[in-house]
Amino acid sequence: MESFRQEGRWSLLAVVCLAVTVRCAVTAMFPSLQQQLDQQVEFSTPMTSYKSLREGLFLLRHGLPVYSGGVVHQPPLLLSVFSRVPNCCHRYLYAVADGVVACQLMLVSRALFSRTPGQRRVPTWVVGLLFALNPLALLSCVSQSTVSLTNVALSSCVYCAVVLRNTWLSGVALAFASYLNVYNAVLAIPLFNAFNGARREVCLFTSVFALCLALLLLLSGSQGNGGAFDGSFLQATYGAMIRFESVAPNLGLWWYFFIEMFQEFIPFFKGVFNVFHVGVTPAIAWRFRGQPLYSFVISLLWLTLTKPYPTLGDTALCFAYLPLFAPLFGYLKYPLFSTLLFLHGVMLSPIFYHLWIDLGSGNSNFFYAVSLVYALALGSIIADFVWAMLRMEYDGGSPNYKRRLTQI
Amino acid sequence: MALSCFLRSVSGTNIDVNEYDLVNSAMQDDADDVIVTGSCKTNFTAQSTTEAVASPSATRNVEENTVADAHTVEDVQFQDFVEETMLVLDELKYPYQEDLRLKPLPGNHLLSSFSFDMKSESFTPGKTDLDIDQYSHYTVFPKPFKPLLERTATRQLHLRFTRGFWDAESWDTLPYDGFKSGGSGVELWAIIESDSQENAYRQWKSLANSLSGLFCASINFIDSTKTTYPVYAFHPAASEELPLFDQDKQLYLIRAALANEPVCTENLTPLIKLLPTKGKSGLSSYLDGHKVFDSIWHSLSIDIETQCDDLYGECRYSMEAMVDMVINVPNTIERVENPIPKPVEADKLRCDQTKHFDAFVCFPSSDNAETDFLFSKIFGKSIRGCDNFASSPSRVCANITDDWSFTLKVGDDYLGLDSNCFELNEGVEYDINLSSANTSSVTVLDEVPLYVSRSLTGYGQDHGGLRTVFHNPRSQPVRAIYFETLPWFMRVYLSTLQVDNTHSNGSPNVTVEDIMQSMHYVPAIDRSRPTHLEYIIEIPAFTSFAVSYQYDKTLLQFAEYPPDANHGFEIESAVITVVSPTDYQIRTATLLLSLSTPDFSMPYNVIIITSTVMGLIFGMIFNLLVKRVVTVEEADKVLAERTIKAKLLRLKQKILSRIGIAT
């Protein structure tokens, strides 16, 4: 057991180092890659792009109002943290952030498998390596989209809740995640499952989360104007996201729908899409209340699918958790179909975007079609994993792949 | 109208007939007729009779400039006469002045600048026309403006209609140092008195809507997405005092521009109608829409200012209307002479001597060195002098070198003066003749203090760059205010602002900090505010560099695209005001921004397909979440119970058991 720990420690260190080094190396070898990726709609959105972060820093540095325009959507504390780091060092910050995620993933994986011995498992180092070398995660990190930072907060949240079982820390981590992207607050519901229904813990978690988030918002509001609360950032960061103000093409379902929607119905459908985005999470959390990590990951996948501004960076984090559900793999009905669908979407999207935007030989429908394929791919992955979990629950721990089951 | 025509005819008589009292009294009779008919035409006939008598006395069979002295002597005599005998009539002259300035430009171009100045009657601020004790009377000042200015509390109004290309590299400085011409399209700025910016904007919007109706232009398309509040640029000179009628209020400078708005006769006609002569007499009779807009570059401008006398507490509006145009003389004449283009006849064909030519091959020489033309040929009309009600006579001046001759044609006589400036004070038909043996010899004005050009960079339809090249050709550093407004769908990243002078030879390296002294930046808000960027820039001597920054293009909603979305979106020109060493204003060309477009035929398809995909995914997952997991055999059993047949069977059994028949 001790040697296993020892071995695990070395492999953990190696994978984290590899993750950080690969990211630094890619940035150093292709200096223009960052800008190139920052323009790619798959990796950066108006809400998360590094360009708008830089613009926020510029405005902050020159004493201009940061949130009066429609360009900066990053929350104030993030800007003030970045303003204290020289521009040339930002890339290392992102690389370290991804390293932390890799490390936490491996720790979560080890804790999970040590709790359920005898199950089919993927080696810890493989879990880490799959994230470290996942091209989506890698490129998202190189593009320096702030999604990477949200990912750290989310992964810390999982780590604290599942491995450390620390109510306080997971509440704080989720507060940070929600501070960066307000929709992440919904993930509190699947996290309740981590406390095995202990009412006291749930209350504590909720209050720590709420207090911490309130504190962050207060701090951001009173920052830089002598203690008086200035709520202008709320509109620019969260309001703009919820109201889907800057319509930019991305892999999500929202953008083309709202471009083509008739003016009068736009507010109504924005409401519908928001409900669609957050409304399914409680159902998932309730149905899989015995599986805290699983319900969390499936909720995260759902959020990624229905986000107003999704990126491949979000997807990369969700996919990083999938190897942890190795016992479910045998139950998947159509993994090949989902994989191919996903690859099809991811590979065609830059091509079709190029055809539409740069060459003009395709039109917006090309990219729209790919975004639908991508959505279907994520949808089929979610559905397949949900089915697999239902199937495993039915089997109660002793897999019987031959049993023919259905639902009524 | 009747009143002004009466005055016109009386004073016309007064000017023309200095010695002939008999005629004078006869003219008075004629003038009485004029009051009845109220038409300028009658007036002409009356005056031409006068002219018939008067012209022999003046002996104006002029060859070149020899008659100048006689003319001035006559003017002096006439002045004396007016002071002695016609004092009452002299007071009835109105503050109106019109000028025409001509300047040949290189390449056989000709700049004609018409300017019309007028002042309103004085009025007491704070009293509107509705006040019972307010007496208002419109004379030469156009009637539509006063109520408009009062309603919107506008203290200064500047309106520009400009189209065309001013070739600064060969034509040098713009007329009036560029302060009277706008960017391509329509430009409007005003100083409005109001208690808050919101109210000022409301007044501004009302002003724009009214002007839109007045000038038949789309000025009503000015809204908050085009309106800016300039901070450095467009401010009136410090020497100008702006009146504040209500001391609790403030003055707001508001500006907007409509890029590449077509400027056409429908804008010129209302402008001419604002003049007291209405295009029927005086210099404005030259202005014909077909000819003005046939030019390479043309600019119509209107500036209204409020001037107050603190001593008496009275104010008056003064208005300057200008029409400037650059025409290519040979082309214009060619078009008049040969409406259907024909090949040049062999004996008139001049070949380019620098290239090979023989009996069969001839490259036509591009420029005529000689020219001789009458303006009536270019403008299609001649001047009908009939604005004698004005306090100063119409003037026609030419800014020419000795190679040119500038003469005034009165009847069949040609007049010339050393000063190249004529005062038209007779009610006859005038025409202008300009001739030269060497058209390339033109008066040299100051070189343009600064060249600025702006362009869009990048190729994709999702992002790009804006690059402004400054070039200072002079030996002194130039200080200028750069003003730029960009629409909200260009998401500007000012953090990418950089100065690049690697491509200019020999220029010293400059950094952003060196050249930009203060900056005012208001970022855009989607659908409600444009980007507004102003900075003061100092360009060292003999230096050129480019200032560039990046922007992202956003997508618009389906209904926000114009009908010709693939044509692109007009970006208004940047305004550069040079403040030292000289005062000068330049505008860059407008830009055409192409945005990516959605498929406009897709709304129903997109709504249906997206909803289907969402419904499909949601349905799949919802089904999985709520349904019970059972084996296939169990499911079959349960389903078998649910069929109608099974239900009927169950019902039958129930009924049978009720009535006691056991099965």
Side-chain angles (χ1 to χ4, degrees), chain A residues 359-380:
Chain A
L359 300 184
S361 51
N363 70 5
S364 49
N365 296 341
F366 285 51
F367 186 69
Y368 168 60
V370 166
S371 73
L372 288 182
V373 169
Y374 177 79
L376 281 175
L378 283 189
S380 83

Side-chain angles (χ1 to χ4, degrees), chain A residues 284-357:
Chain A
I284 296 170
W286 176 252
R287 183 67 181 80
F288 298 108
R289 54 195 176 279
Q291 304 283 348
L293 182 65
Y294 176 80
S295 60
F296 182 87
V297 172
I298 293 294
S299 304
L300 198 60
L301 263 168
W302 177 261
L303 289 188
T304 307
L305 167 66
T306 57
K307 254 184 189 189
Y309 299 100
T311 62
L312 288 178
D314 298 307
T315 321
L317 182 73
C318 298
F319 284 2
Y321 284 108
L322 294 185
L324 305 184
F325 308 121
L328 298 180
F329 288 170
Y331 292 115
L332 295 177
K333 283 201 282 193
Y334 37 81
L336 186 69
F337 172 73
S338 308
T339 316
L340 291 180
L341 207 58
F342 181 79
L343 288 179
H344 171 77
V346 166
M347 283 155 114
L348 277 188
S349 80
I351 298 171
F352 280 2
Y353 187 76
H354 181 66
L355 284 184
W356 169 33
I357 295 293

Side-chain angles (χ1 to χ4, degrees), chain A residues 172-203:
Chain A
V172 171
L174 188 67
F176 272 101
S178 321
Y179 179 70
L180 293 172
N181 178 347
V182 67
Y183 284 123
N184 286 337
V186 188
L187 290 173
I189 303 168
L191 276 179
F192 290 157
N193 298 336
F195 312 117
N196 301 328
R199 185 156 294 182
R200 212 184 125 265
E201 294 278 296
V202 170
C203 286

Side-chain angles (χ1 to χ4, degrees), chain B residues 115-345:
Chain B
S115 111
F116 307 94
D117 284 10
M118 59 212 89
K119 283 194 168 60
S120 76
E121 297 295 294
S122 59
F123 61 93
T124 320
K127 285 188 179 173
T128 64
D129 283 350
L130 297 172
D131 284 334
I132 196 81
D133 53 344
Q134 172 71 18
Y135 167 72
S136 79
H137 178 57
Y138 299 96
T139 53
V140 288
F141 190 74
K143 195 175 174 186
F145 272 119
K146 197 165 169 256
L148 171 62
L149 297 175
E150 265 167 18
R151 183 163 48 82
T152 57
T154 305
R155 302 288 163 256
Q156 275 196 9
L157 169 70
H158 306 272
L159 182 61
R160 305 276 183 272
F161 296 93
T162 311
R163 272 313 278 256
F165 171 65
W166 179 269
D167 185 1
E169 286 186 8
S170 50
W171 302 346
D172 291 335
T173 51
L174 284 158
Y176 312 101
D177 282 335
F179 286 100
K180 300 291 178 190
S181 43
S184 185
V186 179
E187 202 172 324
L188 172 69
W189 69 100
I191 295 180
I192 288 177
E193 182 179 312
S194 187
D195 46 3
S196 65
Q197 189 162 312
E198 289 79 52
N199 284 338
Y201 174 74
R202 223 163 283 149
Q203 286 158 246
W204 159 257
K205 187 77 190 124
S206 158
L207 177 73
N209 287 342
S210 307
L211 288 174
S212 170
L214 200 58
F215 287 99
C216 306
S218 321
I219 309 175
N220 56 322
F221 281 102
I222 288 175
D223 55 9
S224 65
T225 61
K226 296 199 169 72
T227 304
T228 48
Y229 302 85
V231 174
Y232 305 121
F234 294 104
H235 280 257
S239 56
E240 265 182 73
E241 277 193 20
L242 287 165
L244 197 60
F245 291 176
D246 184 346
Q247 294 305 320
D248 299 334
K249 295 187 173 175
Q250 280 181 301
L251 293 173
Y252 291 89
L253 173 59
I254 313 183
R255 179 196 177 270
L258 298 167
N260 267 14
E261 185 69 22
V263 180
C264 199
T265 43
E266 67 214 37
N267 309 123
L268 179 71
T269 313
L271 189 141
I272 293 173
K273 290 277 178 251
L274 295 175
L275 307 175
T277 52
K278 310 263 189 267
K280 300 262 187 265
S281 70
L283 296 179
S284 64
S285 56
Y286 255 165
L287 292 174
D288 175 5
H290 293 100
K291 305 293 174 185
V292 171
F293 297 106
D294 219 9
S295 54
I296 293 170
W297 178 86
H298 43 259
S299 164
L300 321 181
S301 78
I302 284 187
D303 298 80
I304 299 179
E305 288 175 14
T306 315
Q307 291 159 344
C308 284
D309 190 342
D310 289 341
L311 207 61
Y312 301 108
E314 290 204 323
C315 297
R316 43 170 61 203
Y317 293 119
S318 74
M319 169 167 152
E320 270 186 320
M322 314 244 179
V323 179
D324 298 88
M325 71 196 103
V326 175
I327 45 176
N328 184 308
V329 178
N331 283 359
T332 312
I333 293 174
E334 179 70 25
R335 210 172 298 175
V336 173
E337 286 177 347
N338 293 324
I340 303 163
K342 273 183 246 167
V344 187
E345 285 162 34

Side-chain angles (χ1 to χ4, degrees), chain B residues 38-54:
Chain B
S39 107
C40 263
K41 285 259 164 79
T42 332
N43 200 1
F44 279 133
T45 55
Q47 291 194 346
S48 54
T49 54
T50 324
E51 175 60 25
V53 185

